[in-house]
Amino acid sequence: MPPTVGNGKICYIQIPAMDVARSAEFYKRVFGWNIRQRGDGATAFDDGVGQVSGEWVLGRPPATEPGLLIYIMVDSVAASLDLILSNGGEVAQPVGADAPEITARFRDPGGNVIGIYQEPA
């Protein structure tokens, strides 16, 4: 099923990376993102539900402090943090800091701070 197209939809994200292959493998292992090579040779991704795509870019500083903060929806924040840690990421904000929301923040291999969010049961 192709992505939804419409005015105002977030459609593409560029994520700073120090090592594109390492970052791509991290997001593939942790979140199950589809990794692909674009026609121009850039490494691109499609999110876990195929609605948002993007790429990793070199030569851009990482988003190390939350300003604009992107959250990735997960089935379990706790299980995702385990995967993040075992794949080279770091915890930037533990679960519970945004209670009652179930969230956490992590630092990816490129140094970017990204949030994860779990729908309440």
Side-chain angles (χ1 to χ4, degrees), residues 14-19 23 27 57-68 106-114:
Q14 292 182 321
I15 302 174
M18 293 185 293
D19 178 333
S23 289
Y27 282 90
V57 294
L58 299 171
R60 189 178 296 169
T64 58
E65 295 295 325
L68 173 63
F106 67 93
R107 193 172 316 281
D108 74 5
N112 301 291
V113 174
I114 307 281

Side-chain angles (χ1 to χ4, degrees), residues 31-57:
F31 301 110
W33 287 4
N34 177 53
I35 308 303
R36 57 188 166 77
Q37 296 298 307
R38 287 193 331 214
D40 64 1
T43 300
F45 66 84
D46 301 303
D47 72 355
V49 296
Q51 287 291 313
V52 178
S53 34
E55 66 181 320
W56 290 275
V57 294

Side-chain angles (χ1 to χ4, degrees), residues 75-113:
D75 292 332
S76 166
V77 167
S80 295
L81 285 176
D82 288 343
L83 281 170
I84 287 164
L85 292 171
S86 68
N87 283 282
E90 302 171 6
V91 175
Q93 176 182 294
V95 180
D98 295 325
E101 300 293 337
I102 307 168
T103 67
R105 295 179 192 164
F106 67 93
R107 193 172 316 281
D108 74 5
N112 301 291
V113 174

